[in-house]
mmCIF file of all heavy atoms in Angstrom:
data_model
loop_
_atom_site.group_PDB
_atom_site.id
_atom_site.type_symbol
_atom_site.label_atom_id
_atom_site.label_comp_id
_atom_site.label_asym_id
_atom_site.label_seq_id
_atom_site.Cartn_x
_atom_site.Cartn_y
_atom_site.Cartn_z
ATOM 1 N N ALA A 5 -45.915 29.103 8.871
ATOM 2 C CA ALA A 5 -44.808 29.818 9.546
ATOM 3 C C ALA A 5 -43.554 29.044 9.617
ATOM 4 O O ALA A 5 -42.426 29.561 9.502
ATOM 5 C CB ALA A 5 -45.249 30.193 11.036
ATOM 6 N N MET A 7 -42.515 26.946 7.428
ATOM 7 C CA MET A 7 -41.806 26.855 6.093
ATOM 8 C C MET A 7 -41.121 28.189 5.747
ATOM 9 O O MET A 7 -40.182 28.145 4.969
ATOM 10 C CB MET A 7 -42.940 26.483 5.065
ATOM 11 C CG MET A 7 -43.463 25.116 5.213
ATOM 12 S SD MET A 7 -44.770 24.786 4.045
ATOM 13 C CE MET A 7 -43.836 24.771 2.484
ATOM 14 N N LYS A 10 -36.570 31.793 8.742
ATOM 15 C CA LYS A 10 -35.175 32.020 8.153
ATOM 16 C C LYS A 10 -34.057 31.239 8.754
ATOM 17 O O LYS A 10 -32.989 31.198 8.391
ATOM 18 C CB LYS A 10 -34.895 33.464 8.199
ATOM 19 C CG LYS A 10 -34.884 34.093 9.585
ATOM 20 C CD LYS A 10 -34.556 35.624 9.596
ATOM 21 C CE LYS A 10 -34.891 36.251 10.834
ATOM 22 N NZ LYS A 10 -34.642 37.602 10.767
ATOM 23 N N PHE A 11 -34.461 30.399 9.702
ATOM 24 C CA PHE A 11 -33.597 29.530 10.476
ATOM 25 C C PHE A 11 -33.927 28.024 10.079
ATOM 26 O O PHE A 11 -34.846 27.496 10.259
ATOM 27 C CB PHE A 11 -33.632 29.648 11.952
ATOM 28 C CG PHE A 11 -33.376 31.023 12.473
ATOM 29 C CD1 PHE A 11 -34.386 31.778 12.964
ATOM 30 C CD2 PHE A 11 -32.027 31.478 12.466
ATOM 31 C CE1 PHE A 11 -34.131 33.102 13.403
ATOM 32 C CE2 PHE A 11 -31.746 32.862 12.854
ATOM 33 C CZ PHE A 11 -32.800 33.674 13.329
ATOM 34 N N ALA A 15 -30.286 18.910 12.042
ATOM 35 C CA ALA A 15 -30.236 17.558 12.831
ATOM 36 C C ALA A 15 -29.273 17.691 14.007
ATOM 37 O O ALA A 15 -28.374 18.391 13.937
ATOM 38 C CB ALA A 15 -29.867 16.363 11.976
ATOM 39 N N ARG A 23 -12.569 10.166 22.685
ATOM 40 C CA ARG A 23 -11.534 10.160 21.722
ATOM 41 C C ARG A 23 -10.315 9.405 22.136
ATOM 42 O O ARG A 23 -9.840 9.648 23.271
ATOM 43 C CB ARG A 23 -11.134 11.504 21.318
ATOM 44 C CG ARG A 23 -10.813 11.804 19.896
ATOM 45 C CD ARG A 23 -10.607 13.251 19.660
ATOM 46 N NE ARG A 23 -11.834 13.778 18.992
ATOM 47 C CZ ARG A 23 -11.750 14.588 18.070
ATOM 48 N NH1 ARG A 23 -10.543 15.147 17.798
ATOM 49 N NH2 ARG A 23 -12.799 14.986 17.512
ATOM 50 N N ALA A 24 -9.801 8.617 21.219
ATOM 51 C CA ALA A 24 -8.590 7.805 21.619
ATOM 52 C C ALA A 24 -7.291 8.635 21.580
ATOM 53 O O ALA A 24 -7.249 9.428 20.741
ATOM 54 C CB ALA A 24 -8.501 6.565 20.682
ATOM 55 N N PHE A 30 -3.682 0.730 19.142
ATOM 56 C CA PHE A 30 -3.620 1.136 20.515
ATOM 57 C C PHE A 30 -4.487 2.257 20.797
ATOM 58 O O PHE A 30 -5.219 2.289 21.910
ATOM 59 C CB PHE A 30 -2.106 1.526 20.900
ATOM 60 C CG PHE A 30 -1.188 0.458 20.830
ATOM 61 C CD1 PHE A 30 -0.148 0.363 19.867
ATOM 62 C CD2 PHE A 30 -1.278 -0.653 21.738
ATOM 63 C CE1 PHE A 30 0.707 -0.735 19.853
ATOM 64 C CE2 PHE A 30 -0.433 -1.719 21.708
ATOM 65 C CZ PHE A 30 0.605 -1.730 20.714
ATOM 66 N N LEU A 38 -12.120 3.366 27.435
ATOM 67 C CA LEU A 38 -12.712 4.635 27.999
ATOM 68 C C LEU A 38 -14.147 4.548 27.945
ATOM 69 O O LEU A 38 -14.858 4.921 28.865
ATOM 70 C CB LEU A 38 -12.127 5.858 27.449
ATOM 71 C CG LEU A 38 -10.804 6.295 27.678
ATOM 72 C CD1 LEU A 38 -10.295 7.530 26.846
ATOM 73 C CD2 LEU A 38 -10.623 6.647 29.108
ATOM 74 N N GLU A 42 -16.746 4.475 31.035
ATOM 75 C CA GLU A 42 -17.813 5.426 31.220
ATOM 76 C C GLU A 42 -19.178 4.924 31.302
ATOM 77 O O GLU A 42 -20.080 5.237 32.152
ATOM 78 C CB GLU A 42 -17.761 6.395 30.065
ATOM 79 C CG GLU A 42 -18.737 7.565 30.025
ATOM 80 C CD GLU A 42 -18.577 8.452 28.881
ATOM 81 O OE1 GLU A 42 -17.681 9.299 28.827
ATOM 82 O OE2 GLU A 42 -19.464 8.439 27.903
ATOM 83 N N ARG A 49 -23.983 4.983 38.798
ATOM 84 C CA ARG A 49 -24.689 6.066 39.262
ATOM 85 C C ARG A 49 -26.136 5.913 39.028
ATOM 86 O O ARG A 49 -26.913 6.391 39.977
ATOM 87 C CB ARG A 49 -24.173 7.294 38.543
ATOM 88 C CG ARG A 49 -22.780 7.597 38.949
ATOM 89 C CD ARG A 49 -22.233 8.876 38.219
ATOM 90 N NE ARG A 49 -20.919 9.163 38.559
ATOM 91 C CZ ARG A 49 -20.436 10.017 39.434
ATOM 92 N NH1 ARG A 49 -21.350 10.810 40.095
ATOM 93 N NH2 ARG A 49 -19.150 10.294 39.638
ATOM 94 N N LEU A 53 -29.778 5.977 42.297
ATOM 95 C CA LEU A 53 -30.924 6.893 42.206
ATOM 96 C C LEU A 53 -32.075 6.142 42.897
ATOM 97 O O LEU A 53 -32.350 4.985 42.707
ATOM 98 C CB LEU A 53 -31.231 7.351 40.870
ATOM 99 C CG LEU A 53 -30.148 8.135 40.150
ATOM 100 C CD1 LEU A 53 -30.559 8.469 38.671
ATOM 101 C CD2 LEU A 53 -29.807 9.394 40.889
ATOM 102 N N GLN A 57 -36.358 9.980 42.146
ATOM 103 C CA GLN A 57 -35.422 10.560 41.063
ATOM 104 C C GLN A 57 -35.577 9.934 39.708
ATOM 105 O O GLN A 57 -35.538 10.716 38.712
ATOM 106 C CB GLN A 57 -33.957 10.439 41.577
ATOM 107 C CG GLN A 57 -33.659 11.281 42.823
ATOM 108 C CD GLN A 57 -32.327 10.921 43.420
ATOM 109 O OE1 GLN A 57 -31.948 9.762 43.459
ATOM 110 N NE2 GLN A 57 -31.579 11.874 43.911
ATOM 111 N N GLN A 59 -38.339 8.657 38.508
ATOM 112 C CA GLN A 59 -39.672 9.211 38.028
ATOM 113 C C GLN A 59 -39.445 10.566 37.480
ATOM 114 O O GLN A 59 -39.920 10.965 36.418
ATOM 115 C CB GLN A 59 -40.730 9.181 39.181
ATOM 116 C CG GLN A 59 -42.027 9.541 38.652
ATOM 117 C CD GLN A 59 -43.075 9.509 39.802
ATOM 118 O OE1 GLN A 59 -42.632 9.332 40.953
ATOM 119 N NE2 GLN A 59 -44.292 9.651 39.448
ATOM 120 N N VAL A 68 -34.709 0.703 33.842
ATOM 121 C CA VAL A 68 -33.624 0.860 34.689
ATOM 122 C C VAL A 68 -32.968 -0.537 35.008
ATOM 123 O O VAL A 68 -31.750 -0.714 34.824
ATOM 124 C CB VAL A 68 -33.838 1.608 35.970
ATOM 125 C CG1 VAL A 68 -32.711 1.647 36.881
ATOM 126 C CG2 VAL A 68 -34.281 2.989 35.651
ATOM 127 N N LEU A 72 -29.274 -1.813 34.046
ATOM 128 C CA LEU A 72 -28.361 -2.246 35.085
ATOM 129 C C LEU A 72 -27.874 -3.599 34.906
ATOM 130 O O LEU A 72 -26.686 -3.966 35.378
ATOM 131 C CB LEU A 72 -28.996 -2.102 36.409
ATOM 132 C CG LEU A 72 -29.329 -0.615 36.836
ATOM 133 C CD1 LEU A 72 -30.022 -0.663 38.244
ATOM 134 C CD2 LEU A 72 -28.029 0.254 36.830
ATOM 135 N N PRO A 75 -23.995 -6.011 30.542
ATOM 136 C CA PRO A 75 -22.631 -6.030 30.854
ATOM 137 C C PRO A 75 -21.908 -4.670 30.295
ATOM 138 O O PRO A 75 -22.542 -4.060 29.352
ATOM 139 C CB PRO A 75 -21.948 -7.156 29.947
ATOM 140 C CG PRO A 75 -23.050 -7.680 29.126
ATOM 141 C CD PRO A 75 -24.354 -7.020 29.538
ATOM 142 N N TRP A 77 -19.683 -3.888 28.320
ATOM 143 C CA TRP A 77 -19.295 -3.797 27.001
ATOM 144 C C TRP A 77 -20.417 -3.655 26.055
ATOM 145 O O TRP A 77 -20.300 -3.303 24.918
ATOM 146 C CB TRP A 77 -18.459 -5.009 26.484
ATOM 147 C CG TRP A 77 -19.207 -6.205 26.606
ATOM 148 C CD1 TRP A 77 -19.992 -6.887 25.692
ATOM 149 C CD2 TRP A 77 -19.119 -7.138 27.697
ATOM 150 N NE1 TRP A 77 -20.449 -8.053 26.140
ATOM 151 C CE2 TRP A 77 -20.003 -8.313 27.398
ATOM 152 C CE3 TRP A 77 -18.436 -7.218 28.897
ATOM 153 C CZ2 TRP A 77 -20.158 -9.412 28.263
ATOM 154 C CZ3 TRP A 77 -18.650 -8.230 29.818
ATOM 155 C CH2 TRP A 77 -19.448 -9.383 29.401
#
Side-chain angles (χ1 to χ4, degrees):
M7 292 176 68
K10 56 183 166 179
F11 300 107
R23 212 173 259 220
F30 293 112
L38 286 175
E42 185 176 283
R49 291 179 185 259
L53 299 176
Q57 292 169 321
Q59 184 180 10
V68 171
L72 294 177
W77 61 84

